[in-house]
Amino acid sequence: MSNFVQKWLERLVKPLVISHHKRSGAVLFSDTTLRDGEQMPGATLEPEEKVQIALALEAAGIHSIDAGFAASSENDIKAMQMMVGKVKGPVLTSLCRTLRGDIDAADRALDGQPNHKRGVSLFCGTSPLHRRDKLQKSKEEILDLIVETVGYAADKFTVVAFSPEDASRTEVDYLCECYTKAIEAGATTVGFPDTVGILTPEKARVFIRQIQDNVPNIDKALLAVHYHNDLGLAVANTLASIEEGANVVQCTVNGIGERSGNASLEEVVMALTLHQDQFNRTHKIDTTKLAPLCRMVAELTGIRLSPQKPIGGSNIFATEAGIHQDGLLKNPDTYLPFRPETVGESGIKLVLGRHSGKRAVEHRLKEIGFAATDEEVATVLNGIKELPKGEVVDDERLKAFLTAE
Ligand code: MN
């Protein structure tokens, strides 16, 4: 097929794909663990490790992967080149400034990937602060820059995203003008980044509504959101935007990223999954892949999870409290919002400690092969209650209590 015919076909198919996504009501997950996540101090990943995470994201059903920033580092180019042809499901994108050189670098890094599975994600500051102090450019100059570079990117790429950096602090009428021009110039996705993480769910909702109401050609592009967690609201803002009609949500595994991080992928997915009645939106993420994915990213980045981190933390399915242990043994649903298997965990962990009761002790003894009498269970429990602060009871200690009488 000649280049010309291929281009012509792509132009024909593109709007159909976009309108299909928009009408289907599906929430498309974009993951930026490998780009914004890796920007977190100390989270550096080797190219091989990035490929490993990209493949796990693919297996989890991610729609697109922000694979790196080609113009910024040789390692990012290397990682992207290694993903080409190997990561087949998700669209791989490279971050770009509104510079031709960045788009060319992305083009080289993603060379060999099928056209509909590769893209660029352009960004340019649009807020008064960015215009005046960072870019020293007028509103008009920035609009021209957007039109010029989005157009340039659209000649090379089928998938072109444009995001006004610091969108949440940009005048809304100017913001809508930027989106309108970007879509006219060929953007297939427009992003709404809350770059410094200052929004609340209500304010995010108003922005998403206003963009949809005031960008006349918004039906020609997907609307994506990218939230930071500086106020601990990234997940809440993402969910509010989904409810308001955003098509794409960009997250990171474990919520890693700049400063307080980004919206956590696993939390957004689980909230969406458990509240189908509220959101009425489908998604393609396999929730049973989430907990193993969280562990993999924690291990490879070296950014450890706090024990109480939702979904992936080590305490999520562990309990030491007697009443909870008793309830969980009768029916796990009594004290859990969802079963461990839902997110790919093996089961509930009953931790034996000062707060435990006899049911849990009896249960664990039986599991390790001891059918203890009530009296023996009481003896073991007394031993546990007298343990020094912070000490936990492993199976060896349990057996020692039992045989010590
Ligand atoms: Mn960011």
Side-chain angles (χ1 to χ4, degrees):
M1 197 172 3
S2 79
N3 228 352
F4 174 78
V5 176
Q6 197 180 339
K7 274 253 140 76
W8 177 78
L9 260 178
E10 270 172 24
R11 282 214 175 116
L12 209 71
V13 172
K14 213 152 61 173
L16 296 177
V17 174
I18 291 169
S19 80
H20 162 77
H21 281 316
K22 287 186 98 98
R23 275 181 300 129
S24 75
V27 175
L28 306 175
F29 278 87
S30 168
D31 185 273
T32 183
T33 306
L34 303 179
R35 204 273 304 160
D36 211 324
E38 204 218 9
Q39 257 168 253
M40 184 168 175
T44 319
L45 292 161
E46 297 298 342
E48 299 75 24
E49 296 170 329
K50 288 194 174 183
V51 177
Q52 203 182 329
I53 293 172
L55 289 170
L57 289 167
E58 175 178 42
I62 288 288
H63 179 260
S64 61
I65 297 177
D66 186 8
F69 189 174
S72 85
S73 108
E74 277 303 317
N75 261 337
D76 279 20
I77 294 176
K78 197 172 164 205
M80 281 187 250
Q81 269 295 297
M82 285 168 75
M83 286 177 211
V84 165
K86 202 168 183 184
V87 181
K88 298 192 174 93
V91 178
L92 300 179
T93 61
S94 170
L95 189 73
C96 295
R97 289 165 294 185
T98 40
L99 293 173
R100 287 186 175 219
D102 282 22
I103 298 161
D104 293 339
D107 192 21
R108 286 193 298 274
L110 293 167
D111 185 34
Q113 185 76 350
N115 262 344
H116 66 294
K117 293 290 180 186
R118 57 170 227 154
V120 278
S121 186
L122 272 58
F123 73 95
C124 177
T126 52
S127 65
L129 215 66
H130 279 238
R131 295 195 308 258
R132 190 190 61 224
D133 296 338
K134 190 179 116 179
L135 302 166
Q136 281 111 37
K137 283 189 196 302
S138 69
K139 282 182 174 178
E140 281 308 315
E141 285 173 314
I142 288 170
L143 283 173
D144 289 345
L145 192 60
I146 293 170
V147 170
E148 201 270 321
T149 51
V150 169
Y152 183 76
D155 276 341
K156 293 175 183 278
F157 288 89
T158 310
V159 178
V160 178
F162 172 75
S163 297
E165 195 184 18
D166 205 18
S168 53
R169 293 191 297 184
T170 302
E171 309 91 326
V172 75
D173 52 339
Y174 179 58
L175 191 63
C176 289
E177 217 180 326
C178 292
Y179 288 134
T180 309
K181 293 275 188 197
I183 297 168
E184 269 172 21
T188 52
T189 298
V190 285
F192 176 73
D194 181 21
T195 306
V196 295
I198 49 138
L199 286 183
T200 60
E202 268 318 305
K203 288 188 176 175
R205 202 182 273 278
V206 170
F207 266 112
I208 298 305
R209 201 178 304 146
Q210 285 183 321
I211 294 165
Q212 291 177 104
D213 289 347
N214 299 311
V215 177
N217 50 4
I218 193 70
D219 58 314
K220 294 197 176 69
L222 298 172
L223 178 55
V225 294
H226 172 107
Y227 290 120
H228 276 277
N229 203 33
D230 298 70
L231 298 176
L233 293 170
V235 169
N237 292 341
T238 304
L239 292 170
S241 303
I242 288 173
E243 210 164 23
E244 211 55 57
N247 310 110
V248 183
V249 292
Q250 194 163 58
C251 304
T252 62
V253 178
N254 299 337
I256 62 172
E258 284 278 355
R259 305 181 311 278
S260 318
N262 293 58
S264 138
L265 172 77
E266 60 281 5
E267 293 174 27
V268 174
V269 170
M270 285 313 291
L272 197 57
T273 307
L274 295 178
H275 297 284
Q276 281 293 347
D277 59 327
Q278 180 189 343
F279 294 100
N280 199 21
R281 305 274 303 268
T282 55
H283 68 77
K284 291 219 166 77
I285 305 296
D286 176 355
T287 60
T288 67
K289 299 285 197 293
L290 291 175
L293 183 61
C294 295
R295 268 197 297 276
M296 176 194 276
V297 169
E299 263 165 44
L300 295 180
T301 57
I303 307 292
R304 297 174 63 174
L305 292 182
S306 77
Q308 79 272 27
K309 168 72 180 65
I311 322 299
S314 59
N315 277 357
I316 300 312
F317 300 108
T319 182
E320 192 195 302
I323 292 172
H324 283 223
Q325 290 183 331
D326 180 50
L328 287 167
L329 286 170
K330 286 172 177 151
N331 178 350
D333 297 328
T334 50
Y335 286 105
L336 288 177
F338 50 84
R339 297 274 178 109
E341 305 78 49
T342 318
V343 293
E345 285 286 16
S346 52
I348 299 157
K349 224 168 45 196
L350 300 182
V351 179
L352 298 178
R354 280 196 209 170
H355 307 103
S356 303
K358 64 176 195 300
R359 279 272 292 150
V361 171
E362 195 184 351
H363 179 81
R364 188 63 200 157
L365 283 171
K366 202 181 274 174
E367 276 183 335
I368 59 170
F370 294 92
T373 62
D374 284 357
E375 221 169 291
E376 286 170 321
V377 171
T379 312
V380 172
L381 199 57
N382 278 338
I384 293 172
K385 304 256 181 210
E386 277 158 26
L387 273 183
K389 174 179 145 85
E391 290 206 18
V392 287
V393 187
D394 56 13
D395 292 342
E396 285 312 305
R397 203 151 201 179
L398 208 57
K399 276 188 250 174
F401 282 136
L402 196 62
T403 49
E405 355 157 30

